[in-house]
C-alpha cells in the first residue's frame, strides 16, 4: 500500500488526533511533585487504553516511582522501540500563563496555529505523533509495519530515578528491539527537520546551608550572626571564573573539542545567533569566552543555578536573618565527563568554603552522562531521506543542549542505538509558562513518522 494513503489518512484524522492529544494534555502529570502522583498514574492508564484501541496490549508497569507504559505489537524487522515521556514539568509560575496550563486550546499566532498547554511540546504532543502515525498505518494497511515496542516513561522530567532499575529488571524483554526511536527533541528550524546526534548529560545538586538554629531579627543579631544567604552567594559566585569557565577541580576532564568535520557541518547550518538570543530579549552570548553560541549550547558543559530559596521572599519587606538558604544547581555534561566524579569534586570544593557555625547538606537529583549517537547505522541515512521528503529543507544532523537520560541507558544497559527525531521549536517555551506546540509540528511530525516507518521497513521502494 503506497505511503500516500497513510499520509492522506493522517490528514483526514487530524481533528480526532487533536481531541485525543487534548485529553492527555488535560491530565496534570507533573512527575516531580508527589501531589500529582495520581495524575501520573492516570496519564499512564490513558496511554494504555489508547494503545489498546490500536490493538496493543500495553501495561502500566509499576516502578518505585511513576509507572512505565510498555507494550509490543506486530511482526517483522526491524524491531523498533518507540520512547516518549508522559510526565511534564510543573506549571509554575501560574500567574504568567495566559490560560490554565491543563486546559489546552488551539490558538492563532502570527506563525500559524499552536496547541497551547503544559506538555504540548514536551513531550505529550511529540509522543502522540508516533502513536497517530501508527494509528493511520494500521487503519490503512490493517497490519503493523514491523514489530514495535512502545515505552512511555513518567519520570523523565524528574531525573528518571526508576529508569535504570526498570531497564535492568526487564533487560531480556527490552533488549530485543534493533533500534530505539526517541521523540523528545526539536527541529533545526521551522522548515528544517533534524536528527539529533548529541545530547548533554545532567547532574543535579541541591545545596543547603544552615547557620543559626532559627530565623533571627536582623537588627538584634545582624553583624554578629552568620547569614546563610551570604555564605551560599559566595559559593555560587565562585563556581565560574571571569571567562565563564567552571572552577570545580577536574570538571573539564573528558570534555572533547568537536571534530573539524562536525564543526564544518555545524557552520554550514547557518545558525542565527542574533535571532536565537534576540527572541528571548538578549543580545550577548554569556557562556565561555571564545566559543560560538552553537558550541556553548551543544558541545560545552555548563553549571547553572536553577533556583535559590532563603529568607523572606513574600510581598513587602521583613528584616529577617534566615536560618537556612539553599540552591538548586545543575551541570550539563559533554563527552565522557563523569557525573559521579564531578559530584564528589563539587561537594568537596563547596564544603571547604563553609565557615564555622554553618552546616552544609547536599541532595543529589539524578545524573546522566552525555550521549553521542553513532550515525554509522544505515537507519540514520534512511530516516534523514524520509524526513527530507516531508519538509521544505533537507534534514540536518544536529546537537542539542538538553538531556534525555534514556538515550545513554539504552546503549549502556541494552546495547541499543537510539535515533532522536522530534518536531519541537526553540520558541515552544518548554519548561516555561505558555508552552505550545505548533499545529504544523504535530501534523507534519505525524506524517514524518509514517514516512520514517515506511522507509525503515523497506516499503519505500514500493511506494
Ligand atoms: N525534551 C527535553 C530535552 C530537550 C530539550 C531536548 C531541548 C531538545 C531540546 C527533556 O524532556 C528535558 O527537558 N529533559 C530534562 C532532563 C532532566 C530533568 C533530567 C532537561 O534537559 O532538563
Ligand atoms: Zn522532554
Amino acid at each position: 500500500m503506497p505511503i500516500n494513503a497513510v499520509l492522506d489518512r493522517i490528514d483526514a484524522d487530524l481533528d480526532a488526533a487533536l481531541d485525543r492529544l487534548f485529553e492527555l494534555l488535560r491530565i496534570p502529570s507533573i512527575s516531580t511533585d508527589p501531589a500529582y502522583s495520581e495524575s501520573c498514574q492516570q496519564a499512564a492508564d490513558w496511554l494504555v487504553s489508547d494503545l489498546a484501541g490500536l490493538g496493543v496490549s500495553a501495561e502500566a508497569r509499576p516502578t518505585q516511582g511513576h509507572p512505565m507504559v510498555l507494550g509490543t505489537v506486530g511482526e517483522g524487522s526491524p524491531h523498533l522501540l518507540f520512547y516518549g515521556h508522559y510526565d511534564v514539568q510543573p506549571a509554575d509560575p501560574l500567574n504568567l500563563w495566559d490560560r490554565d496550563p491543563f486546559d489546552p486550546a488551539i490558538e492563532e499566532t502570527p506563525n500559524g496555529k499552536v496547541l497551547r498547554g503544559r506538555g504540548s511540546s514536551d513531550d505529550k504532543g511529540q509522543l502522540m505523533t508516533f502513536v497517530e502515525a501508527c494509528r493511520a498505518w494500521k487503519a490503512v494497511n490493517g497490519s503493523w509495519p514491523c514489530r514495535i515496542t512502545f515505552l512511555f516513561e513518567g519520570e523523565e522530567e524528574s531525573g528518571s530515578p526508576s529508569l535504570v532499575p526498570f531497564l535492568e529488571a526487564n533487560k531480556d524483554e527490552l533488549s530485543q528491539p534493533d533500534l530505539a526511536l526517541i521523540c523528545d527533541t526539536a527541529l533545526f528550524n521551522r522548515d528544517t527537520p533534524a536528527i539529533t546526534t548529541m545530547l548533554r548529560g545532567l547532574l543535579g545538586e541541591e545545596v543547603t546551608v544552615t547557620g543559626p538554629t532559627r530565623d533571627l531579627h536582623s537588627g538584634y543579631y545582624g553583624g554578629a550572626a552568620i547569614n546563610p544567604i551570604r555564605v551560599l552567594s559566595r559559593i555560587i559566585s565562585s563556581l565560574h571564573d571571569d571567562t565563564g569557565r567552571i572552577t570545580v577541580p577536574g570538571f573539564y576532564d573528558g570534555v572533547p573539542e568537536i571534530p573539524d568535520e562536525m564543526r564544518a557541518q555545524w557552520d554550514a547550518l547557518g545558525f542565527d545567533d542574533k535571532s536565537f538570543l534576540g527572541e528571548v530579549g538578549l543580545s550577548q552570548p554569556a557562556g565561555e569566552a571564545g566559543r560560538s553560541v552553537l558550541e556553548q549550547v551543544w558541545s560545552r558543559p555548563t553549571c547553572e543555578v536553577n533556583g535559590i530559596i532563603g529568607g523572606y521572599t513574600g510581598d513587602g519587606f521583613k528584616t529577617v536573618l534566615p536560618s537556612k538558604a539553599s540552591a538548586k544547581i545543575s551541570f550539563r555534561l559533554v563527552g565522557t565527563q563523569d557525573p559521579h566524579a564531578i559530584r564528589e569534586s563539587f561537594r568537596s570544593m563547596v564544603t571547604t568554603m563553609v565557615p564555622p557555625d554553618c552546616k552544609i547538606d547536599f541532595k543529589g537529583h539524578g545524573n546522566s552522562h552525555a550521549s553521542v549517537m553513532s550515525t554509522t547505522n544505515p537507519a540514520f541515512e534512511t530516516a534523514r531521506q524520509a524526513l527530507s521528503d516531508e519538509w521544505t529543507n533537507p534534514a540536518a544532523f544536529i546537537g542539542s543542549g538538553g538531556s534525555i537520560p534514556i538515550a545513554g541507558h539504552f546503549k549502556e544497559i541494552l546495547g541499543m542505538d537510539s535515533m532522536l527525531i522530534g518536531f519541537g521549536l526553540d520558541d515552544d517555551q518548554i519548561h516555561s509558562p505558555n508552552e505550545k506546540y505548533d499545529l504544523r509540528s504535530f501534523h507534519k511530525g505525524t506524517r514524518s513518522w509514517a514516512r520514517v516507518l515506511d522507509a525503515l521497513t523497506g516499503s519505500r521502494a514500493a511506494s
Side-chain angles (χ1 to χ4, degrees), residues 83-85 87-89 121-124 126 156-157 183-185 403-404 430-431 435:
Y83 167 88
H85 62 92
D87 64 321
V88 300
Q89 285 278 331
S121 172
D122 191 10
D123 182 44
K124 291 171 175 172
Q126 302 243 65
E156 197 274 348
E157 298 291 10
C183 191
D184 196 19
T185 50
S403 307
I404 304 175
I430 62 172
H431 298 202
E435 178 176 351

Side-chain angles (χ1 to χ4, degrees), residues 335-407:
T336 56
Q337 274 182 302
D338 176 1
H340 302 285
I342 292 173
R343 171 166 280 153
E344 240 170 68
S345 176
F346 167 76
R347 288 185 180 185
S348 53
M349 166 178 158
V350 166
T351 304
T352 62
M353 299 178 69
V354 181
D357 283 346
C358 278
K359 171 168 99 71
I360 190 142
D361 293 294
F362 298 97
K363 185 172 176 198
H365 285 277
N367 63 82
S368 61
H369 286 89
S371 17
V372 178
M373 315 304 144
S374 133
T375 52
T376 49
N377 184 330
F380 277 77
E381 205 41 55
T382 308
R384 193 212 293 247
Q385 194 50 52
L387 289 169
S388 304
D389 289 347
E390 174 63 25
W391 296 82
T392 315
N393 298 330
F397 286 162
I398 65 170
S400 168
S403 307
I404 304 175
I406 200 163

Side-chain angles (χ1 to χ4, degrees), residues 114-115 120-121 125-126 129 423-424 428 436-439 441-442:
V114 302
L115 320 177
S120 54
S121 172
Q126 302 243 65
T129 56
F423 312 100
D428 280 354
K436 61 87 176 158
Y437 196 42
D438 282 29
L439 176 59
S441 288
F442 182 65

Side-chain angles (χ1 to χ4, degrees), residues 179 194-199 259 261-262 265-266 371-384 395-399 411 416-421 456:
L179 177 69
I195 300 181
T196 297
T197 64
M198 286 167 72
L199 286 169
E261 193 189 305
M262 189 177 274
Q265 203 199 320
W266 287 5
S371 17
V372 178
M373 315 304 144
S374 133
T375 52
T376 49
N377 184 330
F380 277 77
E381 205 41 55
T382 308
R384 193 212 293 247
F397 286 162
I398 65 170
K411 189 73 193 171
M416 197 192 315
D417 283 337
S418 295
M419 185 152 62
L420 295 133
I421 297 176
L456 289 179

Side-chain angles (χ1 to χ4, degrees), residues 4-342:
N4 285 342
V6 178
L7 299 177
D8 289 348
R9 171 77 192 192
I10 290 170
D11 298 351
D13 199 35
L14 181 60
D15 287 344
L18 287 170
D19 288 345
R20 286 186 284 268
L21 171 59
F22 278 23
E23 277 184 25
L24 181 59
L25 290 175
R26 282 189 202 103
I27 306 172
S29 44
I30 302 167
S31 58
T32 197
D33 185 343
Y36 293 89
S37 287
E38 236 171 73
S39 299
C40 291
Q41 177 73 47
Q42 212 187 326
D45 292 342
W46 187 93
L47 285 162
V48 166
S49 110
D50 193 53
L51 289 173
L54 289 182
V56 186
S57 56
E59 291 171 337
R61 303 252 185 115
T63 69
Q64 294 277 41
H66 306 305
M68 294 276 183
V69 174
L70 181 63
T72 297
V73 73
E75 294 305 327
S77 83
H79 181 170
L80 301 174
L81 181 148
F82 180 74
Y83 167 88
H85 62 92
Y86 66 77
D87 64 321
V88 300
Q89 285 278 331
D92 343 20
L94 280 178
N95 60 323
L96 296 184
W97 281 80
D98 297 332
R99 59 175 307 107
D100 176 346
F102 297 105
D103 178 21
I106 300 181
E107 286 176 16
E108 205 59 73
T109 75
N111 283 323
K113 290 194 166 99
V114 302
L115 320 177
R116 183 86 63 192
R118 174 55 92 228
S120 54
S121 172
D122 191 10
D123 182 44
K124 291 171 175 172
Q126 302 243 65
L127 174 164
M128 288 304 287
T129 56
F130 190 84
V131 176
E132 293 302 343
C134 288
R135 194 184 321 273
W137 187 289
K138 180 86 193 308
V140 168
N141 295 295
S143 61
W144 293 85
C146 57
R147 191 155 177 80
I148 295 179
T149 294
F150 295 88
L151 176 65
F152 300 142
E153 187 190 355
E155 298 184 328
E156 197 274 348
E157 298 291 10
S158 49
S160 301
S162 310
L163 184 63
V164 169
F166 183 82
L167 295 182
E168 268 161 1
N170 296 281
K171 205 167 164 176
D172 289 346
E173 185 177 352
L174 287 168
S175 52
Q176 286 170 10
D178 301 302
L179 177 69
L181 301 174
I182 299 180
C183 191
D184 196 19
T185 50
L187 298 166
F188 176 64
N189 63 33
R190 220 159 269 287
D191 295 314
T192 315
I195 300 181
T196 297
T197 64
M198 286 167 72
L199 286 169
R200 291 194 285 193
L202 189 68
L203 169 66
E205 281 285 272
E206 188 167 344
V207 180
T208 302
V209 178
T210 308
T213 51
R214 58 183 169 81
D215 285 4
L216 304 174
H217 187 291
S218 69
Y220 250 121
Y221 288 94
I226 186 108
N227 183 332
I229 297 184
R230 283 175 51 195
V231 174
L232 184 67
S233 308
R234 257 193 47 235
I235 292 172
I236 290 172
S237 60
S238 74
L239 293 173
H240 295 85
D241 70 15
D242 290 345
T243 67
R245 274 176 79 87
I246 292 138
T247 55
V248 175
F251 183 76
Y252 287 91
D253 293 353
V255 175
E257 286 301 327
I258 55 170
D260 289 346
E261 193 189 305
M262 189 177 274
R263 188 180 296 278
Q265 203 199 320
W266 287 5
D267 285 347
L269 290 172
F271 183 77
D272 183 349
D273 298 5
K274 279 207 169 57
S275 71
F276 178 68
L277 291 174
E279 202 252 315
V280 292
L282 302 175
S283 61
Q284 303 297 317
E288 273 178 278
R291 301 282 175 183
S292 72
V293 169
L294 263 198
E295 272 184 283
Q296 287 177 359
V297 294
W298 286 359
S299 69
R300 299 299 297 172
T302 63
C303 165
E304 293 297 346
V305 183
N306 303 122
I308 297 187
I309 308 160
Y312 181 68
T313 57
D315 287 341
F317 202 76
K318 182 182 174 193
T319 50
V320 66
L321 200 160
S323 161
K324 279 180 195 304
S326 61
K328 295 177 195 281
I329 297 173
S330 63
F331 298 88
R332 297 277 168 183
L333 309 178
V334 303
T336 56
Q337 274 182 302
D338 176 1
H340 302 285
I342 292 173

